[in-house]
Amino acid sequence: MEVLVDSWPDFKTVISKPQSMEMVDDTDFYTNTYNIFTKDPENLRMMLENSNVINWNQLMMLESLQQYLDPVIMSIAKSKGLELEKQKRLLFVRDIHLGVYESSPKVNSEENSAPPTRSQLAARDEQSEFQCSPVSDAEAELVNAFWINTGHEASLKFTRQRIQHLPSLCMRDPGGRPISWCIMDQNSEIRMAYTLPEYQCRGLFTRLLVHFTTLLRLQWVDFPFYLITAQQNVQAQRAASKAGLLKAPNECVRWIYRQQRRAT
């Protein structure tokens, strides 16, 4: 990754992105991702208008926790004849990165006090048959096939590189087939999460995410991993909460240029 600022040592704007040698495919908006923070939106505007920090000729994605940057981003894109797709997501982070320290993940007290139902007991017995292990490179096509952002060869390349170089975890059935998984990306986001349809609504992903975040905490005490979910994805939000992640006050905003066409 590269980190760029408007000036040094006193700076107002910070932009991180992959190194230029990684951003060679103009159609790969998965890799061509920029993370933006600024203390002054007009400073950001001047930096983006008067520099080559962002390659506006590539498909790409801009990310920020500052939703009020939308007018700046959109106006610059419009001036260049580009259409950006805006997405807002909920952000779940570790308690220590919100200034809150908790000894264990939050779990609903009613769930603890109420005796388990017959179906819950059966689900626990079933889950004990499943084993967790990292996702293998040979399983990249399976992960890519069910990833919501998939669409072309670039997504498979992105998926395979994340599996090869970054932490991942999947739950396997007794035959060794992955049935639920999640993978970390270059920004420490836990993503590409999915559970096969026939195993959904059984709490498998929650168990997997709890196990994954526990392993990450044990290996890197202060590691700032996080999870981003759609606002309507209540199941993922519950899983994040049970894994000890807290909803941040800021939403994550993404501006995506995914189609090579000009605005009319």
Side-chain angles (χ1 to χ4, degrees):
M1 302 292 290
E2 293 180 351
V3 179
L4 305 112
V5 296
D6 58 312
S7 60
W8 187 264
D10 299 319
F11 57 88
K12 295 182 179 179
T13 299
V14 181
I15 299 177
S16 69
K17 66 182 187 69
Q19 295 185 20
S20 299
M21 66 183 70
E22 302 293 336
M23 304 175 72
V24 295
D25 185 349
D26 291 342
T27 67
D28 184 4
F29 72 83
Y30 309 95
T31 299
N32 304 334
T33 299
Y34 303 79
N35 296 274
I36 298 173
F37 173 81
T38 185
K39 300 177 182 179
D40 181 353
E42 288 307 310
N43 177 268
L44 172 65
R45 182 190 297 276
M46 290 188 294
M47 184 174 179
L48 296 185
E49 288 179 339
N50 302 311
S51 72
N52 295 320
V53 171
I54 293 180
N55 184 350
W56 297 95
N57 295 317
Q58 292 183 322
L59 301 189
M60 62 180 175
M61 179 162 59
L62 310 177
E63 292 186 332
S64 178
L65 298 180
Q66 299 171 292
Q67 186 174 334
Y68 56 82
L69 298 182
D70 186 59
V72 173
I73 301 297
M74 287 298 195
S75 65
I76 295 176
K78 184 177 180 180
S79 70
K80 298 180 180 296
L82 306 181
E83 290 183 348
L84 298 185
E85 172 191 335
K86 179 183 176 182
Q87 297 179 349
K88 292 197 300 182
R89 297 288 188 266
L90 300 181
L91 172 66
F92 288 82
V93 300
R94 294 186 60 184
D95 47 17
I96 61 174
H97 299 121
L98 286 180
V100 178
Y101 293 81
E102 299 182 356
S103 58
S104 61
K106 286 187 176 180
V107 179
N108 190 299
S109 58
E110 294 182 358
E111 293 178 350
N112 286 337
S113 58
T117 64
R118 181 174 298 180
S119 60
Q120 287 175 330
L121 289 173
R124 291 180 186 177
D125 291 340
E126 178 187 51
Q127 290 177 21
S128 65
E129 300 178 4
F130 303 143
Q131 300 298 321
C132 292
S133 65
V135 181
S136 73
D137 182 56
E139 294 156 344
E141 290 190 8
L142 174 67
V143 174
N144 185 63
F146 288 102
W147 186 26
I148 191 172
N149 288 320
T150 190
H152 47 71
E153 188 66 24
S155 66
L156 176 59
K157 174 186 174 183
F158 181 87
T159 300
R160 178 167 283 117
Q161 288 180 335
R162 263 75 249 166
I163 291 173
Q164 290 174 342
H165 301 292
L166 296 167
S168 66
L169 194 68
C170 72
M171 188 174 293
R172 302 179 183 276
D173 66 14
R177 181 182 64 144
I179 59 175
S180 183
W181 56 81
C182 53
I183 297 167
M184 183 172 287
D185 74 1
Q186 71 276 11
N187 292 321
S188 305
E189 178 188 350
I190 299 174
R191 60 192 302 191
M192 303 183 199
Y194 189 78
T195 301
L196 294 180
E198 61 268 34
Y199 290 97
Q200 292 177 6
C201 301
R202 301 187 188 184
L204 296 182
F205 176 69
T206 297
R207 178 188 169 197
L208 178 71
L209 184 62
V210 169
H211 188 36
F212 193 29
T213 56
T214 299
L215 291 175
L216 293 174
R217 288 187 179 95
L218 290 174
Q219 189 166 0
W220 300 291
V221 176
D222 297 324
F223 193 62
F225 57 84
Y226 61 97
L227 184 73
I228 293 175
T229 76
Q231 294 177 330
Q232 68 273 18
N233 193 341
V234 178
Q235 290 83 358
Q237 294 163 28
R238 289 175 179 169
S241 178
K242 290 185 178 182
L245 301 179
L246 303 180
K247 186 167 77 71
N250 301 68
E251 292 182 321
C252 176
V253 185
R254 288 172 171 166
W255 296 271
I256 304 176
Y257 176 39
R258 68 169 77 236
Q259 295 182 343
Q260 290 181 319
R261 63 181 183 179
R262 297 293 174 177
T264 57

